[in-house]
Amino acid sequence: MKLKVKTLPLVMTILSGLYLIYVISSENTTLVADAVGGDPGGKLIPSIIAVFLFLGFLYITIKERPVGKKMEKETAVLLALTFVLALLYVVLTKTIGFIILTTIVLYSLEYLYSTIGEKRKPLSAVIGGIGTLIVTVAVYTLMRLLTKTLGRMARAGSLPSAFTSSTLNAVIAIVFVLMFIILLYFTLHKLLKKKGLFRVANSGLITFSTVLLLYVVFKQFFLVALAPGLLNF
């Protein structure tokens, strides 16, 4: 019996499978071990994205059978855009950097998917995206400055040697980020919500929280080599 499937999900499944093969075989993301040890390498996050893309499109291919109705144009465009952004993410991460590129990609997808079927406000969305990027980079910079300063002071003997521990620095960083998440929720998020920009506010806060928490967990707890890119300081 011939299996009937929708064309677009099938094509996206094949492409995401090829993308997974590319991530695994790419020399640019070869597993490495740094001087600290325990670094799973730059392949980890691209591989996770690739696996989720492949499994997601495979599920859609199997479950979503043709029923005489074509896939809505907006849905098809968003699926294609998701795949293109994922490919660009892998190709450009080393140059642009994890923080900047993840913020741009995640904000874009979060806003677009959360506003399916709604009338979008392109100008507000773009301004919200730029604002999210500025705030994320600023808090990231402050966080890095804080942990580096504490480590430098500990090595100089001004603070206990425990502050040279990567685990303690990771805990400090995650508390620092959580404080800013709470601060932004009760200030900027509520202000934008009152102005009728709930989707922009939500997308910005979700993006900010996700990017910085991912950075702390992967970079400082698991010592993954996340590309600094343009923020290499």
Side-chain angles (χ1 to χ4, degrees):
M1 183 173 166
K2 190 177 179 181
L3 179 66
K4 293 182 179 180
V5 297
K6 291 183 178 179
T7 304
L8 181 59
L10 179 60
V11 171
M12 296 303 286
T13 301
I14 295 169
L15 289 175
S16 59
L18 293 173
Y19 167 52
L20 176 58
I21 294 170
Y22 164 78
V23 171
I24 294 172
S25 61
S26 175
E27 291 182 0
N28 292 330
T29 53
T30 301
L31 295 175
V32 297
D34 61 11
V36 178
D39 180 4
K43 246 183 208 182
L44 183 61
I45 290 178
S47 297
I48 290 172
I49 294 172
V51 169
F52 271 100
L53 276 173
F54 178 75
L55 293 178
F57 284 125
L58 182 62
Y59 177 83
I60 294 172
T61 302
I62 295 171
K63 292 293 183 181
E64 297 294 323
R65 307 292 178 80
V67 290
K69 245 172 137 185
K70 289 185 178 180
M71 182 183 288
E72 291 182 7
K73 184 179 178 181
E74 184 178 14
T75 304
V77 169
L78 283 179
L79 287 172
L81 180 62
T82 300
F83 182 75
V84 170
L85 286 176
L87 282 177
L88 289 175
Y89 183 86
V90 172
V91 173
L92 299 175
T93 295
K94 189 174 180 181
T95 304
I96 298 177
F98 173 80
I99 294 293
I100 294 177
L101 197 57
T102 306
T103 300
I104 294 171
V105 170
L106 187 56
Y107 176 87
S108 301
L109 293 177
E110 170 60 31
Y111 179 79
L112 289 171
Y113 276 98
S114 66
T115 55
I116 291 177
E118 298 179 9
K119 185 177 180 181
R120 297 189 175 100
K121 302 175 180 178
L123 182 58
S124 297
V126 171
I127 293 174
I130 294 171
T132 299
L133 181 60
I134 291 172
V135 172
T136 303
V137 170
V139 174
Y140 162 79
T141 304
L142 289 173
M143 179 185 69
R144 293 287 290 155
L145 181 62
L146 173 64
T147 54
K148 283 184 176 182
T149 301
L150 291 175
R152 193 179 302 117
M153 290 175 68
R155 286 189 292 273
S158 303
L159 288 175
S161 59
F163 283 95
T164 60
S165 165
S166 59
T167 301
L168 179 58
N169 280 327
V171 171
I172 293 171
I174 209 164
V175 170
F176 185 80
V177 171
L178 289 173
M179 287 174 58
F180 265 95
I181 292 172
I182 294 169
L183 177 64
L184 289 172
Y185 177 77
F186 286 105
T187 55
L188 192 57
H189 183 273
K190 288 202 168 185
L191 178 63
L192 290 173
K193 187 178 176 182
K194 284 181 181 178
K195 291 182 176 292
L197 298 171
F198 175 74
R199 295 299 187 193
V200 171
N202 252 19
S203 298
L205 188 62
I206 290 171
T207 299
F208 171 84
S209 307
T210 303
V211 171
L212 291 184
L213 289 176
L214 278 176
Y215 177 85
V216 173
V217 169
F218 283 107
K219 174 67 176 179
Q220 296 189 268
F221 276 109
F222 296 119
L223 304 176
V224 177
L226 299 177
L230 301 176
L231 299 179
N232 189 13
F233 52 83

